Amino acid sequence: LAKTTQPISMDSYEGQEVNITCSHNNIATNDYITWYQQFPSQGPRFIIQGYKTKVTNEVASLFIPADRKSSTLSLPRVSLSDTAVYYCLVGDRSGGYQKVTFGTGTKLQVIP
Amino acid sequence: DVKVTQSSRYLVKRTGEKVFLECVQDMDHENMFWYRQDPGLGLRLIYFSYDVKMKEKGDIPEGYSVSREKKERFSLILESASTNQTSMYLCASKIAGEQTQYFGPGTRLLVL
């Protein structure tokens, strides 16, 4: 399983763009990159997933460079409700079952 | 919408008691997971099940067992609860071959 490294915490003011970078140096050819968001007292929820280049949805964008050894989750114009822990995961999408490692995530605090 | 439910949001038990945590999903997912989440340690996988009656140990299975008699239900059993099992327990499910996991709201267990 590819190990991921991300910052423990980040602060941002409301209205700013936030970029959270995740390192995954030993990512395998079949691995996808997935980000989850977890609010206090709730389970994590899926935000975005990608394999290479850029993926965008209504919540966030995911930038993946050509070597795929890192990825950056971008949250445009954050609000107080974006305060949460963000997890980066790397894993094979082809398996019928697999273990994934969530790690400790990045705690984002949005400040008014 | 995928729905994953857990039998209790909060639970208080005494040391030595046998504890059952139930998880039910309504989307016919093959794979189901039990995690525990502790401050500073992120989510750690206890057990997962890739199909009915199938189970695999996760990273921290000691002191726990699981049961998957029906596809929609995955139970976590603490045979003899101990204070170091006080934690938030999260259940998740997913489609086999996909990476996205869907989480329940969690059960906060306190063992006295």
Side-chain angles (χ1 to χ4, degrees):
Chain A
L1 295 171
K3 182 177 163 57
T4 60
T5 303
Q6 48 184 126
I8 293 174
S9 64
M10 295 178 71
D11 292 338
S12 176
Y13 288 102
E14 269 191 299
Q16 289 189 332
E17 179 184 75
V18 170
N19 296 307
I20 306 174
T21 297
C22 178
S23 297
H24 27 80
N25 290 318
N26 58 341
I27 189 169
T29 304
N30 291 334
D31 285 345
Y32 278 73
I33 300 153
T34 308
W35 285 80
Y36 287 80
Q37 175 191 54
Q38 184 179 23
F39 297 115
S41 300
Q42 293 185 25
R45 71 174 187 124
F46 170 86
I47 304 178
I48 198 166
Q49 183 179 83
Y51 184 78
K52 61 180 179 180
T53 63
K54 178 184 173 183
V55 179
T56 297
N57 62 22
E58 64 278 4
V59 176
S61 294
L62 179 59
F63 298 92
I64 305 168
D67 67 5
R68 304 201 326 124
K69 292 185 184 300
S70 67
S71 58
T72 299
L73 175 74
S74 181
L75 305 171
R77 294 184 299 282
V78 293
S79 64
L80 296 176
S81 62
D82 292 315
T83 293
V85 179
Y86 293 83
Y87 295 93
C88 162
L89 280 75
V90 172
D92 186 345
R93 221 172 108 162
S94 63
Y97 57 94
Q98 58 171 112
K99 290 180 1 179
V100 293
T101 301
F102 271 79
T104 56
T106 298
K107 187 172 184 178
L108 172 65
Q109 180 68 52
V110 179
I111 306 163
Chain B
D1 257 4
V2 176
K3 191 155 186 193
V4 180
T5 57
Q6 296 184 226
S7 49
S8 307
R9 289 303 304 270
Y10 300 95
L11 210 52
V12 180
K13 294 292 181 182
R14 297 216 171 269
T15 302
E17 278 192 79
K18 191 168 186 175
V19 182
F20 293 87
L21 301 182
E22 302 282 334
C23 174
V24 178
Q25 48 94 5
D26 67 357
M27 285 303 290
D28 205 36
H29 287 174
E30 293 83 8
N31 305 158
M32 296 187 75
F33 306 79
W34 275 107
Y35 295 88
R36 65 176 283 177
Q37 185 171 33
D38 302 286
L41 297 177
L43 275 81
R44 293 181 291 166
L45 181 64
I46 304 171
Y47 267 97
F48 68 101
S49 168
Y50 47 93
D51 211 335
V52 178
K53 298 191 187 295
M54 301 295 188
K55 61 185 179 186
E56 289 279 338
K57 292 180 180 179
D59 299 317
I60 50 164
E62 297 78 20
Y64 303 94
S65 62
V66 289
S67 172
R68 183 115 182 255
E69 295 297 315
K70 293 185 177 181
K71 194 173 187 180
E72 68 271 18
R73 189 181 297 269
F74 191 34
S75 302
L76 179 69
I77 303 150
L78 286 66
E79 296 290 341
S80 177
S82 63
T83 54
N84 63 13
Q85 291 178 309
T86 291
S87 186
M88 167 73 98
Y89 289 87
L90 288 156
C91 173
S93 72
K94 74 174 184 72
I95 299 170
E98 296 285 330
Q99 200 184 94
T100 304
Q101 296 185 41
Y102 297 88
F103 283 82
T107 296
R108 194 169 289 281
L109 172 67
L110 172 63
V111 182
L112 300 173

